[in-house]
Amino acid sequence: TPLTVIKGYADLLNQKFNENIKFVEEKKLLQPVLQSAEQMSDLMDEMLNLSRLDTASTLIKIELSIKSITAEVVEELENLGKMNEKTISLAFKTETVKADPESLKQIIRNLLTNAIKYSAGSKEIYLRWFENEKNICLSIKDNGPGIHKDHQDRIFERFYRVDKGRGRDQGGFGLGLALVKHQMVNHGGFVQLISDAGLGSEFICEFPK
C-alpha cells in the first residue's frame, strides 16, 4: 500500500508537470522517484510470484497452442525489442504443449526479456519449439557475449547477477531465471543453459509430453 501511494502520487505529479511547460526542472527531479517506484514495484511482483510458487499446490496444466501463446508474449515485448534494435525469429516444429498458461507466458517473457536486454552485438534472437522422444522443448538463443562457465552453476539462484556492476536501471534483480527454473520444476520439467564467453547463450526448457 505505501508503494502504491508513492507511485500513484508521483504519476499524478508527472501528469501535472506535463500539462505545464513551466515545470521543466521539477519534472527532472521527479523522474528518479518514478523510476525507483517502478523498479520497486517490479521487485515486489517478482517476490510475490516466487512466494506463490513456494506455497502453491499442483499447477493446472492444459493443452495449449504453442503459436498462440508465443505470439501473445512476442507482441507484448515488441516495443522493448525495437528499443534494443532486436528482431525475434520464430520456428515451430510442434503444435501444442501441456502447461499452465500464465506460468508458460512468464517463462517465455523472462527468457526473451533477458535475451533482448543482455545480448549486445546480437541483432537477432531465435525462439524455436521442437520435440524430442520424451519432451516438448522451448529454445531461446542469442549470439551475444554469452555467459562464462564460472557463472553457470549459480545463474538460476535467486538474486544472482552475472554483472555485479550493472545498475538497476540496466539490469533486473536477479530473479527472472530463478522464476523460470522454479516454474519448470513445478511443471515436472527442467531448464538448461548452453553458453560460454563470446559464444552467445541458449536456454532450453523441456516440458514433459
Side-chain angles (χ1 to χ4, degrees):
T1 301
L3 182 60
T4 304
V5 173
I6 293 167
K7 194 168 179 295
Y9 275 99
D11 284 335
L12 184 60
L13 276 172
N14 192 52
Q15 184 181 332
K16 294 293 184 183
F17 291 160
N18 284 334
E19 292 170 357
N20 194 323
I21 58 172
K22 293 190 300 182
F23 296 111
V24 176
E25 289 303 316
E26 287 84 352
K27 186 177 178 182
K28 286 181 183 177
L29 291 170
L30 183 62
Q31 294 315 301
V33 179
L34 283 167
Q35 186 179 21
S36 296
E38 192 66 41
Q39 288 171 348
M40 186 59 68
S41 179
D42 290 344
L43 173 61
M44 292 302 298
D45 285 343
E46 291 191 341
M47 291 296 292
L48 285 168
N49 281 329
L50 276 170
S51 178
R52 290 188 191 104
L53 285 171
D54 285 337
T55 59
S57 55
T58 306
L59 293 173
I60 300 174
K61 295 184 284 186
I62 60 174
E63 203 78 18
L64 298 169
S65 164
I66 284 170
K67 283 187 178 180
S68 295
I69 205 157
T70 301
E72 190 175 333
V73 180
V74 169
E75 183 179 356
E76 178 187 325
L77 297 176
E78 184 178 2
N79 287 335
L80 181 65
K82 286 179 180 177
M83 285 170 54
N84 288 272
E85 300 180 331
K86 299 287 176 20
T87 58
I88 301 171
S89 175
L90 304 175
F92 303 96
K93 298 292 181 67
T94 188
E95 295 182 358
T96 63
V97 63
K98 200 166 186 181
D100 175 83
E102 290 307 314
S103 297
L104 179 55
K105 283 191 284 187
Q106 187 178 61
I107 290 166
I108 301 171
R109 185 186 300 116
N110 286 4
L111 291 177
L112 269 183
T113 299
N114 279 2
I116 291 169
K117 287 183 175 180
Y118 308 133
S119 59
S122 175
K123 294 291 185 184
E124 194 160 16
I125 294 160
Y126 305 90
L127 185 156
R128 64 190 179 103
W129 284 93
F130 60 98
E131 60 182 286
N132 57 32
E133 188 177 339
K134 294 182 178 179
N135 300 319
I136 303 295
C137 307
L138 164 68
S139 163
I140 295 180
K141 184 179 186 300
D142 66 69
N143 293 318
I147 299 169
H148 196 278
K149 297 288 187 186
D150 292 348
H151 296 288
Q152 291 186 23
D153 287 341
R154 302 189 61 194
I155 197 70
F156 294 103
E157 291 180 11
R158 299 180 188 195
F159 300 108
Y160 186 79
R161 301 165 78 223
V162 172
D163 186 353
K164 303 295 191 299
R166 192 188 300 271
R168 292 300 184 192
D169 58 330
Q170 297 169 293
F173 297 94
L175 289 172
L177 290 178
L179 278 164
V180 170
K181 180 182 178 181
H182 212 134
Q183 295 280 22
M184 291 307 302
V185 169
N186 279 8
H187 277 84
F190 62 92
V191 57
Q192 62 175 314
L193 167 64
I194 301 171
S195 183
D196 204 351
L199 298 178
S201 300
E202 181 179 15
F203 288 89
I204 301 173
C205 298
E206 299 203 21
F207 299 82
K209 286 183 179 179

PDB file of all heavy atoms in Angstrom, residues 51-89:
ATOM      1  N   SER A  51       6.995 -16.311  -4.074  1.00  0.00           N
ATOM      2  CA  SER A  51       6.304 -16.744  -2.863  1.00  0.00           C
ATOM      3  C   SER A  51       5.136 -17.663  -3.208  1.00  0.00           C
ATOM      4  O   SER A  51       4.917 -18.691  -2.562  1.00  0.00           O
ATOM      5  CB  SER A  51       5.811 -15.528  -2.079  1.00  0.00           C
ATOM      6  OG  SER A  51       5.110 -15.918  -0.930  1.00  0.00           O
ATOM      7  N   ARG A  52       4.396 -17.301  -4.255  1.00  0.00           N
ATOM      8  CA  ARG A  52       3.272 -18.139  -4.692  1.00  0.00           C
ATOM      9  C   ARG A  52       3.764 -19.507  -5.147  1.00  0.00           C
ATOM     10  O   ARG A  52       3.146 -20.535  -4.887  1.00  0.00           O
ATOM     11  CB  ARG A  52       2.512 -17.453  -5.829  1.00  0.00           C
ATOM     12  CG  ARG A  52       1.736 -16.214  -5.406  1.00  0.00           C
ATOM     13  CD  ARG A  52       0.858 -15.703  -6.537  1.00  0.00           C
ATOM     14  NE  ARG A  52       0.326 -14.389  -6.227  1.00  0.00           N
ATOM     15  CZ  ARG A  52       0.767 -13.261  -6.749  1.00  0.00           C
ATOM     16  NH1 ARG A  52       1.758 -13.288  -7.626  1.00  0.00           N
ATOM     17  NH2 ARG A  52       0.243 -12.101  -6.420  1.00  0.00           N
ATOM     18  N   LEU A  53       4.897 -19.501  -5.874  1.00  0.00           N
ATOM     19  CA  LEU A  53       5.447 -20.772  -6.349  1.00  0.00           C
ATOM     20  C   LEU A  53       5.891 -21.648  -5.193  1.00  0.00           C
ATOM     21  O   LEU A  53       5.750 -22.869  -5.228  1.00  0.00           O
ATOM     22  CB  LEU A  53       6.635 -20.497  -7.276  1.00  0.00           C
ATOM     23  CG  LEU A  53       6.296 -19.994  -8.680  1.00  0.00           C
ATOM     24  CD1 LEU A  53       7.559 -19.569  -9.405  1.00  0.00           C
ATOM     25  CD2 LEU A  53       5.563 -21.049  -9.480  1.00  0.00           C
ATOM     26  N   ASP A  54       6.458 -21.019  -4.148  1.00  0.00           N
ATOM     27  CA  ASP A  54       6.928 -21.776  -2.988  1.00  0.00           C
ATOM     28  C   ASP A  54       5.788 -22.453  -2.247  1.00  0.00           C
ATOM     29  O   ASP A  54       5.962 -23.503  -1.636  1.00  0.00           O
ATOM     30  CB  ASP A  54       7.679 -20.854  -2.019  1.00  0.00           C
ATOM     31  CG  ASP A  54       9.063 -20.486  -2.531  1.00  0.00           C
ATOM     32  OD1 ASP A  54       9.600 -21.244  -3.364  1.00  0.00           O
ATOM     33  OD2 ASP A  54       9.598 -19.452  -2.109  1.00  0.00           O
ATOM     34  N   THR A  55       4.608 -21.816  -2.261  1.00  0.00           N
ATOM     35  CA  THR A  55       3.493 -22.327  -1.463  1.00  0.00           C
ATOM     36  C   THR A  55       2.390 -22.968  -2.291  1.00  0.00           C
ATOM     37  O   THR A  55       1.451 -23.536  -1.737  1.00  0.00           O
ATOM     38  CB  THR A  55       2.867 -21.175  -0.642  1.00  0.00           C
ATOM     39  OG1 THR A  55       2.407 -20.156  -1.538  1.00  0.00           O
ATOM     40  CG2 THR A  55       3.887 -20.578   0.305  1.00  0.00           C
ATOM     41  N   ALA A  56       2.524 -22.880  -3.625  1.00  0.00           N
ATOM     42  CA  ALA A  56       1.428 -23.331  -4.488  1.00  0.00           C
ATOM     43  C   ALA A  56       1.313 -24.845  -4.519  1.00  0.00           C
ATOM     44  O   ALA A  56       2.283 -25.568  -4.341  1.00  0.00           O
ATOM     45  CB  ALA A  56       1.630 -22.811  -5.906  1.00  0.00           C
ATOM     46  N   SER A  57       0.085 -25.302  -4.765  1.00  0.00           N
ATOM     47  CA  SER A  57      -0.141 -26.721  -4.986  1.00  0.00           C
ATOM     48  C   SER A  57       0.124 -27.012  -6.472  1.00  0.00           C
ATOM     49  O   SER A  57       0.644 -26.177  -7.200  1.00  0.00           O
ATOM     50  CB  SER A  57      -1.576 -27.091  -4.612  1.00  0.00           C
ATOM     51  OG  SER A  57      -2.483 -26.281  -5.321  1.00  0.00           O
ATOM     52  N   THR A  58      -0.269 -28.189  -6.909  1.00  0.00           N
ATOM     53  CA  THR A  58      -0.006 -28.595  -8.287  1.00  0.00           C
ATOM     54  C   THR A  58      -0.626 -27.614  -9.279  1.00  0.00           C
ATOM     55  O   THR A  58      -1.758 -27.167  -9.118  1.00  0.00           O
ATOM     56  CB  THR A  58      -0.587 -30.002  -8.536  1.00  0.00           C
ATOM     57  OG1 THR A  58      -0.068 -30.889  -7.549  1.00  0.00           O
ATOM     58  CG2 THR A  58      -0.212 -30.501  -9.915  1.00  0.00           C
ATOM     59  N   LEU A  59       0.147 -27.272 -10.325  1.00  0.00           N
ATOM     60  CA  LEU A  59      -0.356 -26.382 -11.365  1.00  0.00           C
ATOM     61  C   LEU A  59      -1.477 -27.053 -12.152  1.00  0.00           C
ATOM     62  O   LEU A  59      -1.497 -28.280 -12.298  1.00  0.00           O
ATOM     63  CB  LEU A  59       0.774 -26.014 -12.332  1.00  0.00           C
ATOM     64  CG  LEU A  59       1.910 -25.150 -11.796  1.00  0.00           C
ATOM     65  CD1 LEU A  59       3.013 -25.049 -12.843  1.00  0.00           C
ATOM     66  CD2 LEU A  59       1.413 -23.761 -11.437  1.00  0.00           C
ATOM     67  N   ILE A  60      -2.366 -26.234 -12.667  1.00  0.00           N
ATOM     68  CA  ILE A  60      -3.417 -26.752 -13.546  1.00  0.00           C
ATOM     69  C   ILE A  60      -2.901 -26.655 -14.976  1.00  0.00           C
ATOM     70  O   ILE A  60      -2.857 -25.575 -15.569  1.00  0.00           O
ATOM     71  CB  ILE A  60      -4.730 -25.960 -13.377  1.00  0.00           C
ATOM     72  CG1 ILE A  60      -5.215 -26.063 -11.931  1.00  0.00           C
ATOM     73  CG2 ILE A  60      -5.784 -26.470 -14.349  1.00  0.00           C
ATOM     74  CD1 ILE A  60      -6.421 -25.208 -11.616  1.00  0.00           C
ATOM     75  N   LYS A  61      -2.484 -27.790 -15.533  1.00  0.00           N
ATOM     76  CA  LYS A  61      -1.891 -27.807 -16.869  1.00  0.00           C
ATOM     77  C   LYS A  61      -2.957 -28.210 -17.897  1.00  0.00           C
ATOM     78  O   LYS A  61      -3.697 -29.164 -17.695  1.00  0.00           O
ATOM     79  CB  LYS A  61      -0.705 -28.771 -16.912  1.00  0.00           C
ATOM     80  CG  LYS A  61       0.447 -28.338 -16.016  1.00  0.00           C
ATOM     81  CD  LYS A  61       1.658 -29.252 -16.151  1.00  0.00           C
ATOM     82  CE  LYS A  61       1.446 -30.552 -15.420  1.00  0.00           C
ATOM     83  NZ  LYS A  61       2.672 -31.398 -15.427  1.00  0.00           N
ATOM     84  N   ILE A  62      -2.993 -27.449 -18.983  1.00  0.00           N
ATOM     85  CA  ILE A  62      -3.925 -27.734 -20.066  1.00  0.00           C
ATOM     86  C   ILE A  62      -3.171 -27.740 -21.387  1.00  0.00           C
ATOM     87  O   ILE A  62      -2.053 -27.239 -21.490  1.00  0.00           O
ATOM     88  CB  ILE A  62      -5.080 -26.704 -20.110  1.00  0.00           C
ATOM     89  CG1 ILE A  62      -4.528 -25.284 -20.319  1.00  0.00           C
ATOM     90  CG2 ILE A  62      -5.930 -26.769 -18.861  1.00  0.00           C
ATOM     91  CD1 ILE A  62      -5.602 -24.238 -20.526  1.00  0.00           C
ATOM     92  N   GLU A  63      -3.794 -28.309 -22.403  1.00  0.00           N
ATOM     93  CA  GLU A  63      -3.190 -28.349 -23.734  1.00  0.00           C
ATOM     94  C   GLU A  63      -3.267 -26.948 -24.351  1.00  0.00           C
ATOM     95  O   GLU A  63      -4.350 -26.381 -24.495  1.00  0.00           O
ATOM     96  CB  GLU A  63      -3.923 -29.355 -24.617  1.00  0.00           C
ATOM     97  CG  GLU A  63      -3.097 -29.885 -25.766  1.00  0.00           C
ATOM     98  CD  GLU A  63      -2.108 -30.960 -25.330  1.00  0.00           C
ATOM     99  OE1 GLU A  63      -2.292 -31.534 -24.243  1.00  0.00           O
ATOM    100  OE2 GLU A  63      -1.168 -31.216 -26.074  1.00  0.00           O
ATOM    101  N   LEU A  64      -2.119 -26.396 -24.700  1.00  0.00           N
ATOM    102  CA  LEU A  64      -2.065 -25.021 -25.204  1.00  0.00           C
ATOM    103  C   LEU A  64      -1.521 -24.972 -26.621  1.00  0.00           C
ATOM    104  O   LEU A  64      -0.625 -25.753 -26.981  1.00  0.00           O
ATOM    105  CB  LEU A  64      -1.164 -24.172 -24.301  1.00  0.00           C
ATOM    106  CG  LEU A  64      -1.586 -23.997 -22.845  1.00  0.00           C
ATOM    107  CD1 LEU A  64      -0.455 -23.358 -22.046  1.00  0.00           C
ATOM    108  CD2 LEU A  64      -2.858 -23.162 -22.740  1.00  0.00           C
ATOM    109  N   SER A  65      -2.038 -24.040 -27.401  1.00  0.00           N
ATOM    110  CA  SER A  65      -1.489 -23.793 -28.731  1.00  0.00           C
ATOM    111  C   SER A  65      -0.180 -23.026 -28.584  1.00  0.00           C
ATOM    112  O   SER A  65      -0.154 -21.897 -28.081  1.00  0.00           O
ATOM    113  CB  SER A  65      -2.469 -22.963 -29.574  1.00  0.00           C
ATOM    114  OG  SER A  65      -1.812 -22.426 -30.702  1.00  0.00           O
ATOM    115  N   ILE A  66       0.912 -23.627 -29.001  1.00  0.00           N
ATOM    116  CA  ILE A  66       2.226 -23.011 -28.864  1.00  0.00           C
ATOM    117  C   ILE A  66       2.318 -21.706 -29.650  1.00  0.00           C
ATOM    118  O   ILE A  66       2.829 -20.700 -29.151  1.00  0.00           O
ATOM    119  CB  ILE A  66       3.316 -24.014 -29.320  1.00  0.00           C
ATOM    120  CG1 ILE A  66       3.522 -25.066 -28.229  1.00  0.00           C
ATOM    121  CG2 ILE A  66       4.618 -23.310 -29.645  1.00  0.00           C
ATOM    122  CD1 ILE A  66       4.386 -26.227 -28.642  1.00  0.00           C
ATOM    123  N   LYS A  67       1.818 -21.699 -30.877  1.00  0.00           N
ATOM    124  CA  LYS A  67       1.902 -20.488 -31.710  1.00  0.00           C
ATOM    125  C   LYS A  67       1.148 -19.327 -31.077  1.00  0.00           C
ATOM    126  O   LYS A  67       1.642 -18.194 -31.043  1.00  0.00           O
ATOM    127  CB  LYS A  67       1.359 -20.768 -33.109  1.00  0.00           C
ATOM    128  CG  LYS A  67       2.311 -21.548 -33.988  1.00  0.00           C
ATOM    129  CD  LYS A  67       1.789 -21.635 -35.422  1.00  0.00           C
ATOM    130  CE  LYS A  67       2.777 -22.373 -36.311  1.00  0.00           C
ATOM    131  NZ  LYS A  67       2.302 -22.473 -37.710  1.00  0.00           N
ATOM    132  N   SER A  68      -0.042 -19.591 -30.557  1.00  0.00           N
ATOM    133  CA  SER A  68      -0.875 -18.519 -29.994  1.00  0.00           C
ATOM    134  C   SER A  68      -0.245 -17.906 -28.758  1.00  0.00           C
ATOM    135  O   SER A  68      -0.150 -16.680 -28.641  1.00  0.00           O
ATOM    136  CB  SER A  68      -2.266 -19.051 -29.642  1.00  0.00           C
ATOM    137  OG  SER A  68      -2.949 -19.457 -30.794  1.00  0.00           O
ATOM    138  N   ILE A  69       0.213 -18.736 -27.834  1.00  0.00           N
ATOM    139  CA  ILE A  69       0.736 -18.205 -26.581  1.00  0.00           C
ATOM    140  C   ILE A  69       2.086 -17.530 -26.794  1.00  0.00           C
ATOM    141  O   ILE A  69       2.410 -16.528 -26.151  1.00  0.00           O
ATOM    142  CB  ILE A  69       0.799 -19.312 -25.500  1.00  0.00           C
ATOM    143  CG1 ILE A  69       0.740 -18.678 -24.109  1.00  0.00           C
ATOM    144  CG2 ILE A  69       2.028 -20.198 -25.651  1.00  0.00           C
ATOM    145  CD1 ILE A  69       0.245 -19.602 -23.026  1.00  0.00           C
ATOM    146  N   THR A  70       2.884 -18.037 -27.736  1.00  0.00           N
ATOM    147  CA  THR A  70       4.164 -17.396 -28.061  1.00  0.00           C
ATOM    148  C   THR A  70       3.924 -16.037 -28.705  1.00  0.00           C
ATOM    149  O   THR A  70       4.580 -15.047 -28.355  1.00  0.00           O
ATOM    150  CB  THR A  70       4.996 -18.284 -29.008  1.00  0.00           C
ATOM    151  OG1 THR A  70       5.240 -19.548 -28.382  1.00  0.00           O
ATOM    152  CG2 THR A  70       6.337 -17.632 -29.331  1.00  0.00           C
ATOM    153  N   ALA A  71       2.977 -15.969 -29.634  1.00  0.00           N
ATOM    154  CA  ALA A  71       2.665 -14.710 -30.323  1.00  0.00           C
ATOM    155  C   ALA A  71       2.216 -13.639 -29.333  1.00  0.00           C
ATOM    156  O   ALA A  71       2.563 -12.458 -29.472  1.00  0.00           O
ATOM    157  CB  ALA A  71       1.590 -14.940 -31.379  1.00  0.00           C
ATOM    158  N   GLU A  72       1.467 -14.048 -28.329  1.00  0.00           N
ATOM    159  CA  GLU A  72       0.977 -13.110 -27.315  1.00  0.00           C
ATOM    160  C   GLU A  72       2.138 -12.445 -26.572  1.00  0.00           C
ATOM    161  O   GLU A  72       2.146 -11.229 -26.362  1.00  0.00           O
ATOM    162  CB  GLU A  72       0.074 -13.857 -26.332  1.00  0.00           C
ATOM    163  CG  GLU A  72      -0.694 -12.969 -25.387  1.00  0.00           C
ATOM    164  CD  GLU A  72      -1.653 -13.749 -24.513  1.00  0.00           C
ATOM    165  OE1 GLU A  72      -2.112 -14.836 -24.928  1.00  0.00           O
ATOM    166  OE2 GLU A  72      -1.948 -13.270 -23.397  1.00  0.00           O
ATOM    167  N   VAL A  73       3.129 -13.238 -26.180  1.00  0.00           N
ATOM    168  CA  VAL A  73       4.281 -12.692 -25.443  1.00  0.00           C
ATOM    169  C   VAL A  73       5.171 -11.871 -26.366  1.00  0.00           C
ATOM    170  O   VAL A  73       5.652 -10.792 -25.987  1.00  0.00           O
ATOM    171  CB  VAL A  73       5.092 -13.820 -24.777  1.00  0.00           C
ATOM    172  CG1 VAL A  73       6.289 -13.241 -24.025  1.00  0.00           C
ATOM    173  CG2 VAL A  73       4.217 -14.616 -23.816  1.00  0.00           C
ATOM    174  N   VAL A  74       5.395 -12.342 -27.585  1.00  0.00           N
ATOM    175  CA  VAL A  74       6.238 -11.611 -28.541  1.00  0.00           C
ATOM    176  C   VAL A  74       5.644 -10.237 -28.833  1.00  0.00           C
ATOM    177  O   VAL A  74       6.366  -9.230 -28.900  1.00  0.00           O
ATOM    178  CB  VAL A  74       6.415 -12.422 -29.843  1.00  0.00           C
ATOM    179  CG1 VAL A  74       7.053 -11.578 -30.936  1.00  0.00           C
ATOM    180  CG2 VAL A  74       7.269 -13.656 -29.587  1.00  0.00           C
ATOM    181  N   GLU A  75       4.326 -10.174 -28.989  1.00  0.00           N
ATOM    182  CA  GLU A  75       3.660  -8.895 -29.229  1.00  0.00           C
ATOM    183  C   GLU A  75       3.826  -7.957 -28.025  1.00  0.00           C
ATOM    184  O   GLU A  75       4.058  -6.756 -28.181  1.00  0.00           O
ATOM    185  CB  GLU A  75       2.173  -9.120 -29.513  1.00  0.00           C
ATOM    186  CG  GLU A  75       1.422  -7.843 -29.857  1.00  0.00           C
ATOM    187  CD  GLU A  75      -0.050  -8.088 -30.156  1.00  0.00           C
ATOM    188  OE1 GLU A  75      -0.488  -9.267 -30.163  1.00  0.00           O
ATOM    189  OE2 GLU A  75      -0.774  -7.101 -30.377  1.00  0.00           O
ATOM    190  N   GLU A  76       3.721  -8.521 -26.831  1.00  0.00           N
ATOM    191  CA  GLU A  76       3.875  -7.746 -25.600  1.00  0.00           C
ATOM    192  C   GLU A  76       5.271  -7.107 -25.510  1.00  0.00           C
ATOM    193  O   GLU A  76       5.425  -5.999 -25.001  1.00  0.00           O
ATOM    194  CB  GLU A  76       3.646  -8.678 -24.412  1.00  0.00           C
ATOM    195  CG  GLU A  76       3.810  -8.060 -23.048  1.00  0.00           C
ATOM    196  CD  GLU A  76       3.728  -9.107 -21.952  1.00  0.00           C
ATOM    197  OE1 GLU A  76       2.948 -10.073 -22.097  1.00  0.00           O
ATOM    198  OE2 GLU A  76       4.463  -8.972 -20.958  1.00  0.00           O
ATOM    199  N   LEU A  77       6.286  -7.801 -26.033  1.00  0.00           N
ATOM    200  CA  LEU A  77       7.673  -7.331 -25.934  1.00  0.00           C
ATOM    201  C   LEU A  77       8.154  -6.620 -27.200  1.00  0.00           C
ATOM    202  O   LEU A  77       9.343  -6.324 -27.337  1.00  0.00           O
ATOM    203  CB  LEU A  77       8.602  -8.512 -25.632  1.00  0.00           C
ATOM    204  CG  LEU A  77       8.367  -9.237 -24.307  1.00  0.00           C
ATOM    205  CD1 LEU A  77       9.291 -10.436 -24.184  1.00  0.00           C
ATOM    206  CD2 LEU A  77       8.567  -8.288 -23.121  1.00  0.00           C
ATOM    207  N   GLU A  78       7.231  -6.327 -28.096  1.00  0.00           N
ATOM    208  CA  GLU A  78       7.609  -5.725 -29.378  1.00  0.00           C
ATOM    209  C   GLU A  78       8.350  -4.396 -29.205  1.00  0.00           C
ATOM    210  O   GLU A  78       9.390  -4.156 -29.829  1.00  0.00           O
ATOM    211  CB  GLU A  78       6.356  -5.518 -30.241  1.00  0.00           C
ATOM    212  CG  GLU A  78       6.666  -4.991 -31.632  1.00  0.00           C
ATOM    213  CD  GLU A  78       5.420  -4.835 -32.482  1.00  0.00           C
ATOM    214  OE1 GLU A  78       4.304  -5.096 -31.965  1.00  0.00           O
ATOM    215  OE2 GLU A  78       5.552  -4.457 -33.656  1.00  0.00           O
ATOM    216  N   ASN A  79       7.840  -3.520 -28.350  1.00  0.00           N
ATOM    217  CA  ASN A  79       8.474  -2.217 -28.152  1.00  0.00           C
ATOM    218  C   ASN A  79       9.855  -2.338 -27.522  1.00  0.00           C
ATOM    219  O   ASN A  79      10.786  -1.616 -27.884  1.00  0.00           O
ATOM    220  CB  ASN A  79       7.591  -1.304 -27.292  1.00  0.00           C
ATOM    221  CG  ASN A  79       6.376  -0.807 -28.042  1.00  0.00           C
ATOM    222  OD1 ASN A  79       6.383  -0.738 -29.270  1.00  0.00           O
ATOM    223  ND2 ASN A  79       5.323  -0.460 -27.327  1.00  0.00           N
ATOM    224  N   LEU A  80       9.995  -3.267 -26.566  1.00  0.00           N
ATOM    225  CA  LEU A  80      11.302  -3.490 -25.942  1.00  0.00           C
ATOM    226  C   LEU A  80      12.305  -3.958 -26.995  1.00  0.00           C
ATOM    227  O   LEU A  80      13.462  -3.522 -26.994  1.00  0.00           O
ATOM    228  CB  LEU A  80      11.182  -4.526 -24.816  1.00  0.00           C
ATOM    229  CG  LEU A  80      12.477  -4.830 -24.054  1.00  0.00           C
ATOM    230  CD1 LEU A  80      12.964  -3.605 -23.296  1.00  0.00           C
ATOM    231  CD2 LEU A  80      12.260  -5.997 -23.081  1.00  0.00           C
ATOM    232  N   GLY A  81      11.866  -4.826 -27.887  1.00  0.00           N
ATOM    233  CA  GLY A  81      12.739  -5.299 -28.954  1.00  0.00           C
ATOM    234  C   GLY A  81      13.184  -4.173 -29.865  1.00  0.00           C
ATOM    235  O   GLY A  81      14.363  -4.070 -30.227  1.00  0.00           O
ATOM    236  N   LYS A  82      12.244  -3.297 -30.244  1.00  0.00           N
ATOM    237  CA  LYS A  82      12.575  -2.163 -31.113  1.00  0.00           C
ATOM    238  C   LYS A  82      13.552  -1.213 -30.433  1.00  0.00           C
ATOM    239  O   LYS A  82      14.482  -0.713 -31.066  1.00  0.00           O
ATOM    240  CB  LYS A  82      11.296  -1.419 -31.494  1.00  0.00           C
ATOM    241  CG  LYS A  82      10.430  -2.151 -32.510  1.00  0.00           C
ATOM    242  CD  LYS A  82       9.172  -1.364 -32.823  1.00  0.00           C
ATOM    243  CE  LYS A  82       8.312  -2.086 -33.845  1.00  0.00           C
ATOM    244  NZ  LYS A  82       7.036  -1.371 -34.108  1.00  0.00           N
ATOM    245  N   MET A  83      13.336  -0.948 -29.148  1.00  0.00           N
ATOM    246  CA  MET A  83      14.227  -0.057 -28.402  1.00  0.00           C
ATOM    247  C   MET A  83      15.661  -0.588 -28.391  1.00  0.00           C
ATOM    248  O   MET A  83      16.615   0.176 -28.388  1.00  0.00           O
ATOM    249  CB  MET A  83      13.729   0.104 -26.965  1.00  0.00           C
ATOM    250  CG  MET A  83      12.521   1.009 -26.827  1.00  0.00           C
ATOM    251  SD  MET A  83      11.804   0.922 -25.158  1.00  0.00           S
ATOM    252  CE  MET A  83      13.217   1.279 -24.130  1.00  0.00           C
ATOM    253  N   ASN A  84      15.801  -1.905 -28.373  1.00  0.00           N
ATOM    254  CA  ASN A  84      17.125  -2.526 -28.319  1.00  0.00           C
ATOM    255  C   ASN A  84      17.596  -3.021 -29.685  1.00  0.00           C
ATOM    256  O   ASN A  84      18.598  -3.733 -29.769  1.00  0.00           O
ATOM    257  CB  ASN A  84      17.113  -3.687 -27.318  1.00  0.00           C
ATOM    258  CG  ASN A  84      17.035  -3.229 -25.879  1.00  0.00           C
ATOM    259  OD1 ASN A  84      18.045  -2.979 -25.242  1.00  0.00           O
ATOM    260  ND2 ASN A  84      15.818  -3.091 -25.349  1.00  0.00           N
ATOM    261  N   GLU A  85      16.840  -2.652 -30.719  1.00  0.00           N
ATOM    262  CA  GLU A  85      17.184  -2.996 -32.104  1.00  0.00           C
ATOM    263  C   GLU A  85      17.358  -4.501 -32.296  1.00  0.00           C
ATOM    264  O   GLU A  85      18.310  -4.974 -32.893  1.00  0.00           O
ATOM    265  CB  GLU A  85      18.461  -2.252 -32.545  1.00  0.00           C
ATOM    266  CG  GLU A  85      18.311  -0.737 -32.492  1.00  0.00           C
ATOM    267  CD  GLU A  85      19.578  -0.018 -32.933  1.00  0.00           C
ATOM    268  OE1 GLU A  85      20.671  -0.584 -32.753  1.00  0.00           O
ATOM    269  OE2 GLU A  85      19.451   1.095 -33.459  1.00  0.00           O
ATOM    270  N   LYS A  86      16.398  -5.252 -31.779  1.00  0.00           N
ATOM    271  CA  LYS A  86      16.431  -6.704 -31.872  1.00  0.00           C
ATOM    272  C   LYS A  86      15.209  -7.204 -32.652  1.00  0.00           C
ATOM    273  O   LYS A  86      14.109  -6.643 -32.536  1.00  0.00           O
ATOM    274  CB  LYS A  86      16.426  -7.345 -30.473  1.00  0.00           C
ATOM    275  CG  LYS A  86      17.630  -6.976 -29.607  1.00  0.00           C
ATOM    276  CD  LYS A  86      18.865  -7.662 -30.082  1.00  0.00           C
ATOM    277  CE  LYS A  86      20.126  -7.305 -29.358  1.00  0.00           C
ATOM    278  NZ  LYS A  86      20.130  -6.728 -28.077  1.00  0.00           N
ATOM    279  N   THR A  87      15.420  -8.257 -33.420  1.00  0.00           N
ATOM    280  CA  THR A  87      14.307  -8.950 -34.066  1.00  0.00           C
ATOM    281  C   THR A  87      14.245 -10.375 -33.518  1.00  0.00           C
ATOM    282  O   THR A  87      15.271 -10.948 -33.137  1.00  0.00           O
ATOM    283  CB  THR A  87      14.475  -9.001 -35.593  1.00  0.00           C
ATOM    284  OG1 THR A  87      15.711  -9.652 -35.908  1.00  0.00           O
ATOM    285  CG2 THR A  87      14.474  -7.600 -36.182  1.00  0.00           C
ATOM    286  N   ILE A  88      13.041 -10.930 -33.475  1.00  0.00           N
ATOM    287  CA  ILE A  88      12.838 -12.274 -32.937  1.00  0.00           C
ATOM    288  C   ILE A  88      12.419 -13.201 -34.066  1.00  0.00           C
ATOM    289  O   ILE A  88      11.403 -12.984 -34.721  1.00  0.00           O
ATOM    290  CB  ILE A  88      11.787 -12.273 -31.817  1.00  0.00           C
ATOM    291  CG1 ILE A  88      12.227 -11.337 -30.683  1.00  0.00           C
ATOM    292  CG2 ILE A  88      11.572 -13.680 -31.276  1.00  0.00           C
ATOM    293  CD1 ILE A  88      11.150 -11.095 -29.637  1.00  0.00           C
ATOM    294  N   SER A  89      13.220 -14.211 -34.313  1.00  0.00           N
ATOM    295  CA  SER A  89      12.941 -15.206 -35.348  1.00  0.00           C
ATOM    296  C   SER A  89      12.245 -16.407 -34.708  1.00  0.00           C
ATOM    297  O   SER A  89      12.736 -16.967 -33.723  1.00  0.00           O
ATOM    298  CB  SER A  89      14.251 -15.635 -36.017  1.00  0.00           C
ATOM    299  OG  SER A  89      14.021 -16.677 -36.940  1.00  0.00           O
TER     300      SER A  89
END
